[in-house]
């Protein structure tokens, strides 16, 4: 009995097939080396295609991670409650936030009654000119409470945030974002105790906020925070008969799992307070941070898919180039094929040789393309400051696609070579 457990005849056939495969590999490799320049130019389409796919996927995922990080920088487990839309005599909505349907008492009721809520930060904002000496900047002035730093995860960099006593006293104190600090010619260290003017009112700077960056078209550092009572009485000057009006209420849920409960509790509480019953529409809008992240991820996934798909087209072009070169190779080597058939090579041997040759071209191009894509991905991450790393799944799928391309686009030239008549091939020039 043979060591492998095979019958002697089967074992000889197995050894012969391995020898045929090794011989075909050697012949395919020597053929590629004999035409180095042509082989390199043939692989170029595959190289560029693979490199482009990996680079484009890296760009898409890096942008996705950056957007998600910016949304999460707004705060932890956030829910945004915004005033509803104002409507005129005609049924035309002016958009969410155009009506003053939220008041400070709504925010207090949410904090007191909603058990899934950890903290609440009401806000009232307007754009105004902020002046310091001979320098000024147009920025967003936001009135809020001391819970703003908790809800929005926005801690002071220097100095401090205003407290409850200053809120109750409508104190003229301000906390500056880093963009405002730079625009007024200050530094984080020198800003505290500076005196700024907003609408002819003088405010004492008591601190600066840590750097947050931009989210979409909004710079989170381009703002000045003051007490909500000060904002209402000295800057905006509007107090509705029902109470102090708000633009929005930022709510922090106790955990990610309790966000749905918090959303449900807030909705029912505001409907009760605003006397909203069917068929009346809600006069407020609630947006969930998780929904924003999911929507952003969905858009980013489409963007990544489009980029990767566009780059993958060059892979198909590379495959067509491989088929073209293999057809030329079959024509050039007709006499060689005839000689091999005359000395006993089977059709399957010829087919295997040319299939291996096209697959080698594709896989070598794929490996070089992966190297190009990895280098490009590191460059992209370094240029944009991303930490998305290398899209390893894109690398794996690209190499698998290269194998498919090599077999698919090499099958027709290989079958033509295998079907050549030996006598006709021997008589060719």
């Amino acid at each position: 009995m043979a060591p492998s457990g095979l019958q002697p005849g089967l074992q000889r056939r197995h050894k012969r097939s391995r020898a045929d495969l090794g011989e075909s590999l050697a012949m395919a490799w020597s053929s590629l080396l004999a035409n180095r320049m042509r082989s390199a130019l043939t692989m170029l389409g595959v190289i560029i295609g693979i490199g482009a796919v990996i680079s484009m996927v890296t760009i898409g995922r890096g942008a996705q991670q950056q957007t998600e990080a910016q949304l999460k920088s707004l705060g932890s487990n956030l829910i945004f409650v915004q005033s509803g839309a104002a409507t005129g005599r005609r049924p035309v909505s002016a958009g969410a936030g155009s009506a003053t349907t939220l008041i400070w008492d709504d925010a207090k009721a949410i904090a007191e009654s909603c058990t899934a809520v950890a903290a609440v930060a009401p806000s009232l904002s307007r754009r105004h000119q902020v002046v310091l000496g001979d320098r000024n900047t147009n920025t967003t002035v936001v009135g809020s409470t001391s819970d703003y730093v908790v809800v929005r995860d926005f801690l002071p960099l220097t100095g401090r945030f205003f407290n409850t006593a200053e809120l109750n006293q409508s104190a003229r104190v301000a906390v500056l974002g880093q963009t405002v600090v730079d625009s007024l010619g200050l530094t984080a260290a020198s800003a505290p105790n500076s005196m700024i003017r907003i609408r002819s009112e003088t405010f004492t700077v008591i601190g600066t906020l840590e750097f947050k960056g931009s989210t979409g078209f909004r710079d989170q550092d381009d703002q000045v925070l003051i007490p909500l009572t000060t904002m209402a009485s000295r800057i905006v000057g509007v107090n509705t008969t029902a109470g102090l009006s708000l633009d929005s209420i930022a709510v922090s849920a106790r955990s990610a799992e309790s966000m749905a409960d918090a959303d449900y509790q807030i909705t029912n509480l505001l409907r009760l307070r605003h006397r909203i019953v069917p068929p009346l529409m809600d006069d407020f809008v609630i947006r969930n941070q998780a929904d924003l992240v999911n929507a952003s991820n969905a858009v980013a996934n489409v963007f990544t898919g489009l980029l990767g798909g566009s780059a993958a087209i060059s892979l198909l072009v590379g495959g067509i180039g491989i088929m073209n070169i293999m057809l030329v190779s079959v024509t050039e080597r007709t006499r060689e094929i005839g000689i091999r058939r005359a000395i006993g090579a089977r059709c399957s041997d010829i087919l295997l040789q040319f299939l291996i040759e096209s697959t080698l071209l594709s896989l070598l191009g794929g490996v070089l393309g992966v190297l190009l894509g990895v280098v490009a991905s590191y460059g992209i991450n370094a240029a944009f400051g991303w930490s998305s790393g290398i899209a390893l799944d894109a690398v794996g799928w690209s190499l698998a696609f290269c194998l498919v391309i090599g077999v698919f686009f090499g099958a027709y030239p290989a079958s033509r070579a295998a079907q050549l008549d030996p006598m006709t091939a021997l008589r060719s020039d």
Side-chain angles (χ1 to χ4, degrees):
M1 181 67 66
S4 62
L6 297 174
Q7 295 295 329
L10 293 176
Q11 189 177 9
R12 285 194 299 271
R13 191 181 306 168
H14 182 64
K15 289 181 178 178
R16 187 175 62 211
S17 64
R18 286 191 298 176
D20 292 343
L21 180 60
E23 182 183 355
S24 298
L25 278 170
M27 293 185 67
W29 182 251
S30 61
S31 176
L32 294 180
L33 291 180
N35 300 278
R36 291 182 176 86
M37 181 58 69
R38 187 168 71 181
S39 299
L41 292 176
T42 304
M43 291 188 295
L44 192 59
V46 177
I47 294 172
I48 294 175
I50 294 291
V53 167
I54 296 173
S55 301
M56 293 301 100
V57 172
T58 298
I59 289 175
R61 292 184 179 174
Q64 177 181 349
Q65 289 182 9
Q66 187 72 7
T67 303
E68 186 174 340
Q70 288 174 346
L71 287 174
K72 289 183 177 179
S73 72
L74 294 173
S76 301
N77 306 322
L78 266 184
I79 297 173
F80 295 99
V81 185
Q82 193 174 6
S83 294
T87 55
R89 293 181 180 178
R90 296 181 180 180
V92 178
S93 172
S98 56
T100 54
T101 57
L102 294 176
I103 59 174
W104 194 5
D105 287 343
D106 290 329
K108 293 176 180 177
I110 291 172
E112 293 171 359
S113 304
C114 297
T115 57
V117 170
V120 175
S123 66
L124 178 63
S125 63
R126 298 289 186 274
R127 289 199 69 86
H128 286 292
Q129 210 73 15
V130 177
V131 181
L132 174 67
D134 59 350
R135 305 190 68 158
N136 65 88
T137 183
N138 187 269
T139 186
T140 302
V141 181
V142 180
S144 189
T145 65
S146 55
D147 283 335
Y148 183 90
V149 291
V150 178
V151 176
R152 300 296 297 272
D153 193 21
F154 221 150
L155 301 177
L157 179 64
T158 58
R160 63 178 179 85
F161 206 76
F162 50 82
N163 52 41
T164 304
E166 290 166 328
L167 176 70
N168 295 334
Q169 297 168 6
S170 301
R172 288 180 292 181
V173 292
V175 183
L176 309 182
Q178 290 302 312
T179 300
V180 180
V181 171
D182 295 337
S183 299
L184 295 178
L186 297 169
T187 63
S190 65
N193 300 320
S194 300
M195 307 298 290
I196 62 173
R197 284 185 293 115
I198 306 173
R199 290 199 66 182
S200 301
E201 295 283 348
T202 302
F203 287 78
T204 302
V205 177
I206 59 174
T208 65
L209 296 171
E210 62 181 356
F211 180 80
K212 277 280 188 176
S214 301
T215 54
F217 296 100
R218 183 174 181 272
D219 183 1
Q220 294 187 82
D221 302 308
D222 189 15
Q223 60 179 345
V224 175
L225 273 295
I226 64 175
L228 177 61
T229 50
T230 310
M231 180 71 175
S233 61
R234 297 182 180 274
I235 305 299
V236 178
V238 289
N239 273 300
T240 65
T241 55
L244 194 156
S245 60
L246 302 173
D247 293 329
S248 63
I249 304 171
V251 178
S252 177
R254 294 192 179 277
S255 65
E257 293 74 20
S258 62
M259 290 186 72
D261 292 336
D263 193 316
Y264 177 79
Q265 292 172 7
I266 293 169
T267 300
N268 288 328
L269 176 64
L270 291 180
R271 284 175 179 171
L272 181 64
R273 288 182 55 82
H274 295 188
R275 297 182 175 86
I276 299 173
V277 294
L280 296 178
M281 300 294 292
D282 291 341
D283 60 357
F284 56 89
V285 178
I286 297 180
R287 291 186 173 89
N288 192 311
Q289 185 185 30
D291 294 338
L292 294 176
V293 172
N294 292 335
S296 172
N297 287 341
V299 173
N301 287 334
V302 173
F303 175 68
T304 303
L306 289 174
L307 288 178
S310 301
I313 294 175
S314 59
L315 273 177
L316 293 177
V317 174
I320 294 171
I322 289 175
M323 182 170 66
N324 181 48
I325 290 300
M326 293 307 298
L327 286 172
V328 171
S329 180
V330 170
T331 303
E332 290 178 345
R333 296 157 62 186
T334 302
R335 188 173 180 82
E336 174 194 328
I337 295 169
I339 293 172
R340 288 198 65 198
R341 291 295 307 278
I343 62 176
R346 295 162 299 177
C347 290
S348 60
D349 296 329
I350 304 299
L351 180 70
L352 183 62
Q353 177 189 345
F354 281 88
L355 268 180
I356 289 176
E357 198 167 317
S358 65
T359 305
L360 273 177
L361 273 174
S362 184
L363 285 179
L364 284 174
V367 171
L368 294 175
V370 167
L371 294 176
L372 175 64
V374 168
V375 172
S377 296
Y378 277 119
I380 292 167
N381 288 331
F384 291 97
W386 294 341
S387 57
S388 57
I390 308 300
L392 295 179
D393 57 336
V395 172
W397 281 109
S398 297
L399 288 176
F401 196 41
C402 280
L403 180 61
V404 173
I405 283 176
V407 174
F408 179 80
F409 287 102
Y412 176 66
S415 65
R416 281 197 58 181
Q419 292 168 9
L420 283 176
D421 180 67
M423 298 305 296
T424 303
L426 284 171
R427 287 196 297 267
S428 66
D429 295 331

